[in-house]
Amino acid sequence: MPRVKIPRKSTAIDMTAMCDVAFLLLTFFILTAKPRTDDPVPVDQPASTINEQLPESDVAVLTVGQKKVFFGVEGPKVREELLKQMGAKYKIEFTQTEVNQFVALNSFGVDINNLKQFLALSAEDKKNYVQPGIPIDTTETSQFYDWVREARKVNANLNQKELKIAIKGDSKEEYPTIAMMIKALQKQKVNKFALITNVKSALK
Amino acid sequence: MAELDTSGGGGKKGGKVRTKKKSTRVDLTAMVDLAFLLVTFFMLTTTLSKPKAMDLTMPDKDEKKKDEKPVPESRTLTILLGKNNKIEWYRGLPGKPYQGTAPTTDNFGKEGIRKTLVELKQKIAQESGGQRMIVLVKPSDHSVYKNTVDIMDELNIANIEIRAIVDILPSEVELLKRDGNY
């Protein structure tokens, strides 16, 4: 007796759904990923056991490395307003193109008098340009003092929130640079900082 | 599902001979492969961890404060940060160590300062009837930023809330120099 043959099904599977899912995930990851911004100087963050996250807005990041201080603040609106305020303070007129360039800048460390030339550089040149760091001393007349002060004012006006100062320092940075920066900040009664660290487990 | 009707439209009486339409089905395997490859790539390259931040509160620099109480020397621990990741600590006030204890050189890490902190915390709590230890951290010019973060972290681990980062005194720099930590 001939066996009843079960008709073979095709081995081709409908991949449409899988394809949909894959691309959905892909889109999700691309859209949620925040591009990693390069630090102007290599920064090797020290590790700590703290597990508190840094807020994503209302924060100014001071990058410290190679005895230089770099300043950056979150939020395009804040940056735009900040540059206008600083321009007014130092009597430097910035064009709209320059403002746009500045808004795209994550952090910078140049003298405000050289800021125009720096903003005019192409993206590639900006990367290669060795930034000298923001002029800083412990008195109330340094540019660093003004950048922080204006940023705090602008943020308070625009977002109705206190600007949080975060310090992103290099592990090997000697303490005097940090001390000077902290002193300059304390001049304007900023006594609370956040130190950006990597994560490590408590038990070694 | 996502297939079109490809049944070639036959069945009419005396219908014309039509060329059989080819299936519109596309093999999506390659596309799925590619998509997952990209997903994997993005997942691996993005830094998932957002920056972590440690809060640091500096003592107020305002000299006009009047309600400041003197620091009780019996409960004070001063930690000096020297070069090469060395620490020196002593109890009591600057210049006059508590009960004549000599400053001790210590290391970071589990066996070093962490042990000291935990032991001293208990000791001071016993001696002073449950009152808490006060820690003054004094980074010297030759210490690195990492040391400051590490010591604050150790204080966090040991759960010591009363602490401050203070400027180092010349006499303490001498102390570090004497012990070869400056």
Side-chain angles (χ1 to χ4, degrees), chain B residues 150-164:
Chain B
D150 280 347
I151 196 76
M152 293 323 270
D153 198 36
E154 293 295 343
L155 293 176
N156 282 335
I157 292 171
N159 227 337
I160 294 162
E161 276 139 30
I162 314 178
R163 36 97 180 267

PDB file of all heavy atoms in Angstrom, chain B residues 150-164:
ATOM      1  N   ASP B 150      38.291  59.866  45.100  1.00  0.00           N
ATOM      2  CA  ASP B 150      38.378  58.592  45.815  1.00  0.00           C
ATOM      3  C   ASP B 150      38.082  58.753  47.296  1.00  0.00           C
ATOM      4  O   ASP B 150      37.349  57.951  47.883  1.00  0.00           O
ATOM      5  CB  ASP B 150      39.778  57.995  45.640  1.00  0.00           C
ATOM      6  CG  ASP B 150      39.933  57.291  44.310  1.00  0.00           C
ATOM      7  OD1 ASP B 150      38.892  57.059  43.666  1.00  0.00           O
ATOM      8  OD2 ASP B 150      41.062  56.989  43.920  1.00  0.00           O
ATOM      9  N   ILE B 151      38.644  59.789  47.882  1.00  0.00           N
ATOM     10  CA  ILE B 151      38.454  59.942  49.327  1.00  0.00           C
ATOM     11  C   ILE B 151      36.997  60.287  49.635  1.00  0.00           C
ATOM     12  O   ILE B 151      36.418  59.790  50.595  1.00  0.00           O
ATOM     13  CB  ILE B 151      39.446  60.969  49.930  1.00  0.00           C
ATOM     14  CG1 ILE B 151      39.511  60.823  51.451  1.00  0.00           C
ATOM     15  CG2 ILE B 151      39.098  62.396  49.600  1.00  0.00           C
ATOM     16  CD1 ILE B 151      40.308  59.649  51.888  1.00  0.00           C
ATOM     17  N   MET B 152      36.382  61.093  48.786  1.00  0.00           N
ATOM     18  CA  MET B 152      34.971  61.410  48.994  1.00  0.00           C
ATOM     19  C   MET B 152      34.135  60.138  48.856  1.00  0.00           C
ATOM     20  O   MET B 152      33.158  59.934  49.568  1.00  0.00           O
ATOM     21  CB  MET B 152      34.484  62.448  47.976  1.00  0.00           C
ATOM     22  CG  MET B 152      35.085  63.818  48.106  1.00  0.00           C
ATOM     23  SD  MET B 152      35.371  64.373  49.770  1.00  0.00           S
ATOM     24  CE  MET B 152      33.872  65.182  50.157  1.00  0.00           C
ATOM     25  N   ASP B 153      34.559  59.311  47.929  1.00  0.00           N
ATOM     26  CA  ASP B 153      33.863  58.053  47.720  1.00  0.00           C
ATOM     27  C   ASP B 153      34.001  57.146  48.938  1.00  0.00           C
ATOM     28  O   ASP B 153      33.029  56.517  49.372  1.00  0.00           O
ATOM     29  CB  ASP B 153      34.433  57.388  46.481  1.00  0.00           C
ATOM     30  CG  ASP B 153      33.519  56.336  45.932  1.00  0.00           C
ATOM     31  OD1 ASP B 153      32.306  56.558  46.009  1.00  0.00           O
ATOM     32  OD2 ASP B 153      34.010  55.309  45.443  1.00  0.00           O
ATOM     33  N   GLU B 154      35.206  57.107  49.496  1.00  0.00           N
ATOM     34  CA  GLU B 154      35.414  56.288  50.692  1.00  0.00           C
ATOM     35  C   GLU B 154      34.545  56.800  51.836  1.00  0.00           C
ATOM     36  O   GLU B 154      33.982  56.014  52.606  1.00  0.00           O
ATOM     37  CB  GLU B 154      36.893  56.326  51.115  1.00  0.00           C
ATOM     38  CG  GLU B 154      37.846  55.662  50.143  1.00  0.00           C
ATOM     39  CD  GLU B 154      37.619  54.162  50.022  1.00  0.00           C
ATOM     40  OE1 GLU B 154      36.954  53.581  50.893  1.00  0.00           O
ATOM     41  OE2 GLU B 154      38.099  53.570  49.045  1.00  0.00           O
ATOM     42  N   LEU B 155      34.439  58.113  51.936  1.00  0.00           N
ATOM     43  CA  LEU B 155      33.599  58.686  52.985  1.00  0.00           C
ATOM     44  C   LEU B 155      32.138  58.321  52.758  1.00  0.00           C
ATOM     45  O   LEU B 155      31.398  58.060  53.703  1.00  0.00           O
ATOM     46  CB  LEU B 155      33.773  60.208  53.043  1.00  0.00           C
ATOM     47  CG  LEU B 155      35.143  60.702  53.491  1.00  0.00           C
ATOM     48  CD1 LEU B 155      35.214  62.211  53.412  1.00  0.00           C
ATOM     49  CD2 LEU B 155      35.453  60.240  54.889  1.00  0.00           C
ATOM     50  N   ASN B 156      31.763  58.291  51.502  1.00  0.00           N
ATOM     51  CA  ASN B 156      30.391  57.873  51.190  1.00  0.00           C
ATOM     52  C   ASN B 156      30.164  56.426  51.587  1.00  0.00           C
ATOM     53  O   ASN B 156      29.124  56.081  52.151  1.00  0.00           O
ATOM     54  CB  ASN B 156      30.126  58.011  49.688  1.00  0.00           C
ATOM     55  CG  ASN B 156      29.867  59.439  49.298  1.00  0.00           C
ATOM     56  OD1 ASN B 156      29.439  60.240  50.123  1.00  0.00           O
ATOM     57  ND2 ASN B 156      30.130  59.762  48.055  1.00  0.00           N
ATOM     58  N   ILE B 157      31.156  55.600  51.286  1.00  0.00           N
ATOM     59  CA  ILE B 157      31.020  54.177  51.595  1.00  0.00           C
ATOM     60  C   ILE B 157      30.950  53.987  53.104  1.00  0.00           C
ATOM     61  O   ILE B 157      30.123  53.237  53.620  1.00  0.00           O
ATOM     62  CB  ILE B 157      32.203  53.383  51.001  1.00  0.00           C
ATOM     63  CG1 ILE B 157      32.122  53.403  49.480  1.00  0.00           C
ATOM     64  CG2 ILE B 157      32.194  51.945  51.504  1.00  0.00           C
ATOM     65  CD1 ILE B 157      33.344  52.842  48.800  1.00  0.00           C
ATOM     66  N   ALA B 158      31.803  54.708  53.821  1.00  0.00           N
ATOM     67  CA  ALA B 158      31.823  54.581  55.274  1.00  0.00           C
ATOM     68  C   ALA B 158      30.673  55.348  55.934  1.00  0.00           C
ATOM     69  O   ALA B 158      30.546  55.333  57.152  1.00  0.00           O
ATOM     70  CB  ALA B 158      33.155  55.079  55.815  1.00  0.00           C
ATOM     71  N   ASN B 159      29.874  56.031  55.102  1.00  0.00           N
ATOM     72  CA  ASN B 159      28.707  56.726  55.618  1.00  0.00           C
ATOM     73  C   ASN B 159      29.051  57.835  56.605  1.00  0.00           C
ATOM     74  O   ASN B 159      28.430  57.954  57.664  1.00  0.00           O
ATOM     75  CB  ASN B 159      27.767  55.717  56.280  1.00  0.00           C
ATOM     76  CG  ASN B 159      26.351  55.933  55.826  1.00  0.00           C
ATOM     77  OD1 ASN B 159      26.023  57.042  55.383  1.00  0.00           O
ATOM     78  ND2 ASN B 159      25.524  54.912  55.907  1.00  0.00           N
ATOM     79  N   ILE B 160      30.035  58.602  56.262  1.00  0.00           N
ATOM     80  CA  ILE B 160      30.425  59.714  57.126  1.00  0.00           C
ATOM     81  C   ILE B 160      29.899  60.990  56.488  1.00  0.00           C
ATOM     82  O   ILE B 160      30.325  61.383  55.411  1.00  0.00           O
ATOM     83  CB  ILE B 160      31.953  59.758  57.286  1.00  0.00           C
ATOM     84  CG1 ILE B 160      32.403  58.516  58.030  1.00  0.00           C
ATOM     85  CG2 ILE B 160      32.377  61.014  58.030  1.00  0.00           C
ATOM     86  CD1 ILE B 160      33.853  58.212  57.892  1.00  0.00           C
ATOM     87  N   GLU B 161      28.954  61.603  57.170  1.00  0.00           N
ATOM     88  CA  GLU B 161      28.278  62.727  56.533  1.00  0.00           C
ATOM     89  C   GLU B 161      28.949  64.067  56.805  1.00  0.00           C
ATOM     90  O   GLU B 161      28.882  64.974  55.997  1.00  0.00           O
ATOM     91  CB  GLU B 161      26.819  62.783  56.970  1.00  0.00           C
ATOM     92  CG  GLU B 161      25.952  61.863  56.152  1.00  0.00           C
ATOM     93  CD  GLU B 161      24.932  61.139  56.986  1.00  0.00           C
ATOM     94  OE1 GLU B 161      24.502  61.703  57.998  1.00  0.00           O
ATOM     95  OE2 GLU B 161      24.583  59.995  56.639  1.00  0.00           O
ATOM     96  N   ILE B 162      29.551  64.188  57.976  1.00  0.00           N
ATOM     97  CA  ILE B 162      30.154  65.484  58.299  1.00  0.00           C
ATOM     98  C   ILE B 162      31.575  65.494  57.762  1.00  0.00           C
ATOM     99  O   ILE B 162      32.472  64.895  58.331  1.00  0.00           O
ATOM    100  CB  ILE B 162      30.144  65.734  59.814  1.00  0.00           C
ATOM    101  CG1 ILE B 162      28.777  65.388  60.387  1.00  0.00           C
ATOM    102  CG2 ILE B 162      30.510  67.169  60.108  1.00  0.00           C
ATOM    103  CD1 ILE B 162      28.671  65.544  61.852  1.00  0.00           C
ATOM    104  N   ARG B 163      31.735  66.165  56.659  1.00  0.00           N
ATOM    105  CA  ARG B 163      33.078  66.239  56.069  1.00  0.00           C
ATOM    106  C   ARG B 163      33.179  67.524  55.268  1.00  0.00           C
ATOM    107  O   ARG B 163      32.188  68.107  54.867  1.00  0.00           O
ATOM    108  CB  ARG B 163      33.358  65.037  55.173  1.00  0.00           C
ATOM    109  CG  ARG B 163      32.201  64.501  54.386  1.00  0.00           C
ATOM    110  CD  ARG B 163      31.798  64.664  53.201  1.00  0.00           C
ATOM    111  NE  ARG B 163      30.639  64.015  52.670  1.00  0.00           N
ATOM    112  CZ  ARG B 163      30.627  62.887  52.031  1.00  0.00           C
ATOM    113  NH1 ARG B 163      31.669  62.139  51.978  1.00  0.00           N
ATOM    114  NH2 ARG B 163      29.546  62.496  51.452  1.00  0.00           N
ATOM    115  N   ALA B 164      34.414  67.919  55.051  1.00  0.00           N
ATOM    116  CA  ALA B 164      34.627  69.136  54.298  1.00  0.00           C
ATOM    117  C   ALA B 164      35.981  69.073  53.622  1.00  0.00           C
ATOM    118  O   ALA B 164      36.904  68.428  54.117  1.00  0.00           O
ATOM    119  CB  ALA B 164      34.574  70.343  55.229  1.00  0.00           C
TER     120      ALA B 164
END
